[in-house]
């Protein structure tokens, strides 16, 4: 086409040259011819521009030469763009139809918690209606302090269990997933059935434990009474009685631990929170641990910062810390070293128990906080273990927004580290000092 344009220009110039020769003024003739050609070109450009500016699709204009080729190319691109647009809007429509039909409430929010999109289920589950609530703050639509806190922190893949703001009998499990630089997907699933099943399981365990408590107490009472008259019994019964007493005690311990666990499960946060002087609590637990160690000669080392307290439920913390410390005694051979630390840093408050005992195999570490999970059942039973101690520890720490980290090496020892958030630290008690104590039990 470019060749044809050049040919046309050459013909125009040649004709102008001939006309100039005949008229006797070549320059004027060439000037008129070039000007005419430029004017024609500009008319063609205008026509092409006008056609491009049309929003609606018209047939390409009648423009000869390079303009025809240009208009053809543009027309082809327009066509392709139109087809792609159609395909994309079909995808979007399909996707929106699918998410709109999802049984789980799905809401897109931005980093400020503003609703940008919601599906149908969001209306029935959370009371967020689309498009009526477009641009509204989610926390204004769902008035729940837990949800406000959840959304303000915007942590990837975080989850929250919540009673539905619309129906008190519906339990929801909320999840937050980042989907774009500033956008988040909030998915709320109805977990009422799961919650009911958990509740039924928990109630069953609590009821059974409660029912067994009295018979076992009576049973133990009679056993003790009989044992006190052991000298009047035949010699061969002595071992049987001591086994019966030992197992009755174990059964009672399991029942007490199960009852404690179901109490912990029933409430998400402890009812009575007060400042707790953990350093003196740990000193008293260490004394009990010394008694438990007896003549095994464990060496205890205490590093306790008595200058601060934490907000907590004293009985629960006592139960959790004593479980960890007594475990260190149970699973550390005689004359082993047990180090107990209580300190604070810029991340929070920490309780750490380190022993140089038997350790835990790596694949068992994630499971030791499960109910009745024991690495070595025989050893646990021999020490009167219920297999519930660390499950209690986990629950107590969760209720205090604290975390448990277990590190261990088989045959070398274990470290149980409890971290409490900075917000748990309540005040500085300047009368105290760092207590250091090292004692060996004879
Ligand atoms: P148990 O009553 O059996 O001690 P726990 O829940 O307290 O139950 O602990 C679960 C298991 O974790 C124990 O049976 C034991 O195998 C392991 N364990 C706990 N603490 C220690 C420790 N300090 N050293 C080695 N193993 C431990």
């Amino acid at each position: 086409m470019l060749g044809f344009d050049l040919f046309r220009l050459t013909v125009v110039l040649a004709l102008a040259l001939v006309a100039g020769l005949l008229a006797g003024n070549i320059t004027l003739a060439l000037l008129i011819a070039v000007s005419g050609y430029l004017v024609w070109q500009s008319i063609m450009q205008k026509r092409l521009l006008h056609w491009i500016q049309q929003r609606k699709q018209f047939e390409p204009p009648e423009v000869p030469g390079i303009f025809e080729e240009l208009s053809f190319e543009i027309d082809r691109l327009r066509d392709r763009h139109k087809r792609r647009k159609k395909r994309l809007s079909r995808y979007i429509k399909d996707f929106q139809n699918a998410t709109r039909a999802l049984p789980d409430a799905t809401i897109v929010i931005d980093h400020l918690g503003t609703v940008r999109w919601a599906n149908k289920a969001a209306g029935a589950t959370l009371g967020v209606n689309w498009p009526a609530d477009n641009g509204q703050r989610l926390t204004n639509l769902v008035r729940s302090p837990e949800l406000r806190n959840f959304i303000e922190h915007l942590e990837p893949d975080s989850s929250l269990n919540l009673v539905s703001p619309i129906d008190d009998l519906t339990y929801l499990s909320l999840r937050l997933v980042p989907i774009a630089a500033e956008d988040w997907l909030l998915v709320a699933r109805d977990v009422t059935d799961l919650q009911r099943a958990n509740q039924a399981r928990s109630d069953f365990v609590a009821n059974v434990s409660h029912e067994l408590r009295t018979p076992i107490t009576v049973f133990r009472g009679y056993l003790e009474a009989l044992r006190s008259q052991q000298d009047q019994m035949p010699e061969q019964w002595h071992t049987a009685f001591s086994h019966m007493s030992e197992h009755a005690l174990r059964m009672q311990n399991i029942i007490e631990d199960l009852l404690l666990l179901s109490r912990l499960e029933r409430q998400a946060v402890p009812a009575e929170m007060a400042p707790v002087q953990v350093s003196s609590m740990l000193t008293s637990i260490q004394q009990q641990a010394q008694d438990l160690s007896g003549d095994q000669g464990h060496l205890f080392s205490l590093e306790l910062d008595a200058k601060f307290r934490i907000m907590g439920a004293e009985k629960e913390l006592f139960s959790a810390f004593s479980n960890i410390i007594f475990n260190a005694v149970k699973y550390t051979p005689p004359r082993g070293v047990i180090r107990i630390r209580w300190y604070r840093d810029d991340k929070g408050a920490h309780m750490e128990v380190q022993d140089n005992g038997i350790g835990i195999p790596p694949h068992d570490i994630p499971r030791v906080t499960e109910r009745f999970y024991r690495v070595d059942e025989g050893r646990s039973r021999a020490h009167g273990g219920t297999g519930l101690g660390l499950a209690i520890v986990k629950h107590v720490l969760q209720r205090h927004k604290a975390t448990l980290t277990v590190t261990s090496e088989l045959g070398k020892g274990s470290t149980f580290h409890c971290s409490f958030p900075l917000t748990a630290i309540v005040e500085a008690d300047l009368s105290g000092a760092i207590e250091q104590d090292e004692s060996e039990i004879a």
Side-chain angles (χ1 to χ4, degrees):
M1 273 296 172
L2 192 64
F4 181 73
D5 274 320
L6 272 178
F7 173 72
R8 183 167 38 212
L9 183 59
T10 316
V11 170
V12 170
L13 290 178
L15 286 174
L17 197 64
V18 173
L21 276 172
L22 290 175
N25 194 340
I26 298 173
T27 320
L28 187 65
L30 281 176
L31 204 65
I32 291 170
V34 168
S35 308
Y37 194 79
L38 284 178
V39 168
W40 176 81
Q41 279 234 325
S42 131
I43 291 169
M44 291 304 115
Q45 280 173 2
K46 264 257 152 44
R47 214 183 265 178
L48 188 67
L49 183 69
H50 179 70
W51 174 72
I52 292 171
Q53 283 170 343
Q54 293 303 311
R55 293 250 152 216
K56 286 185 191 144
Q57 189 98 2
F58 289 124
E59 279 299 300
E62 298 248 332
V63 279
I66 186 80
F67 296 107
E68 188 182 5
E69 205 173 328
L70 269 175
S71 67
F72 178 74
E73 246 343 281
I74 290 167
D75 198 37
R76 209 168 56 84
L77 284 176
R78 265 185 172 175
D79 245 16
R80 205 195 298 166
H81 174 70
K82 201 176 150 196
R83 275 201 307 275
R84 193 176 294 167
K85 210 168 130 185
K86 243 189 193 157
R87 210 169 47 232
L88 274 178
S89 37
R90 205 179 57 235
Y91 284 153
I92 292 174
K93 222 177 207 153
D94 286 352
F95 175 75
Q96 284 194 339
N97 284 342
T99 40
R100 201 165 286 151
L102 272 180
D104 296 342
T106 313
I107 303 174
V108 177
I109 52 168
D110 65 13
H111 65 293
L112 297 171
T114 312
V115 175
R116 296 174 62 103
W117 184 83
N119 70 350
K120 214 168 161 196
T125 318
L126 286 167
V128 177
N129 297 302
W130 181 262
D133 295 328
N134 184 16
Q136 297 260 26
R137 283 283 176 93
L138 185 61
T139 42
N140 289 343
L141 300 167
V142 186
R143 293 190 178 271
S144 146
E146 290 149 294
L147 182 83
R148 178 178 293 273
N149 189 37
F150 185 56
I151 292 197
E152 272 167 8
H153 286 92
L154 281 180
E155 280 191 23
D157 293 319
S158 49
S159 60
L160 167 77
N161 285 346
L162 192 78
V163 175
S164 163
I166 291 197
D167 174 9
D168 285 356
L169 297 175
T170 304
Y171 288 88
L172 302 175
S173 167
L174 270 59
R175 282 199 71 180
L176 259 180
V177 190
I179 49 169
E182 302 221 303
D183 289 346
W184 295 74
L185 193 69
L186 179 78
V187 183
R189 200 157 55 92
D190 186 339
V191 288
T192 313
D193 288 346
L194 193 71
Q195 181 76 15
R196 284 206 188 117
N198 274 339
Q199 189 63 42
R201 178 190 56 86
S202 175
D203 288 350
F204 176 74
V205 173
N207 290 340
V208 170
S209 314
H210 195 73
E211 291 297 322
L212 287 176
R213 197 185 208 178
T214 315
I216 196 71
T217 312
V218 173
F219 185 62
R220 276 202 70 209
Y222 280 118
L223 263 181
E224 287 311 310
L226 285 170
R227 254 161 69 93
S228 64
Q229 292 162 20
Q230 211 164 321
D231 41 348
Q232 295 169 32
M233 285 179 208
E235 179 94 27
Q236 64 267 34
W237 285 25
H238 289 187
T239 323
F241 264 99
S242 102
H243 276 164
M244 279 159 77
S245 302
E246 192 188 302
H247 284 278
L249 175 65
R250 220 171 76 76
M251 218 190 288
Q252 195 171 32
N253 287 342
I254 291 177
I255 289 166
E256 294 302 330
D257 277 358
L258 281 174
L259 280 171
L260 175 59
L261 262 176
S262 61
R263 262 202 306 277
L264 293 176
E265 268 184 351
R266 221 164 291 152
Q267 296 169 304
V269 247
E272 285 164 24
M273 296 284 270
V276 180
Q277 186 68 40
V278 174
S279 58
S280 48
M281 178 190 279
L282 290 173
T283 309
S284 106
I285 296 175
Q286 184 262 333
Q287 279 155 10
Q288 293 183 27
Q290 270 188 348
D291 293 343
L292 181 69
S293 168
D295 56 5
Q296 295 181 74
H298 290 105
L299 184 79
F300 287 88
S301 139
L302 266 81
E303 288 168 37
L304 309 174
D305 184 346
K307 283 182 289 182
F308 73 99
R309 301 193 278 178
I310 57 160
M311 203 66 178
E314 187 154 7
K315 275 189 189 158
E316 289 184 19
L317 290 175
F318 188 93
S319 174
F321 294 160
S322 53
N323 265 314
I324 296 177
I325 296 170
F326 294 166
N327 272 352
V329 175
K330 289 193 294 187
Y331 302 106
T332 301
R335 304 196 70 78
V337 179
I338 295 162
R339 184 178 179 217
I340 304 168
R341 291 173 72 209
W342 173 243
Y343 62 96
R344 64 188 286 184
D345 60 17
D346 57 348
K347 292 194 181 72
H350 309 270
M351 200 295 285
E352 191 179 270
V353 179
Q354 191 182 11
D355 64 55
N356 61 351
I358 60 168
I360 306 168
H363 59 275
D364 285 312
I365 294 177
R367 302 199 58 189
V368 289
T369 54
E370 286 174 21
R371 287 161 194 227
F372 296 114
Y373 191 85
R374 289 120 161 169
V375 176
D376 178 344
E377 190 145 341
R379 190 184 284 262
S380 164
R381 277 171 201 266
H383 290 290
T386 62
L388 294 168
L390 291 180
I392 292 173
V393 170
K394 191 176 96 177
H395 263 81
V396 169
L397 294 185
Q398 264 172 5
R399 289 151 66 81
H400 286 80
K401 305 218 173 340
T403 53
L404 173 71
T405 316
V406 184
T407 44
S408 186
E409 211 178 318
L410 204 56
K412 295 243 167 91
S414 315
T415 304
F416 286 75
H417 187 111
C418 312
S419 290
F420 293 81
L422 274 175
T423 47
I425 299 173
V426 272
E427 68 199 62
D429 174 4
L430 296 172
S431 61
I434 294 190
E435 291 175 15
Q436 291 264 6
D437 182 21
E438 280 220 350
S439 54
E440 191 175 348
I441 299 147

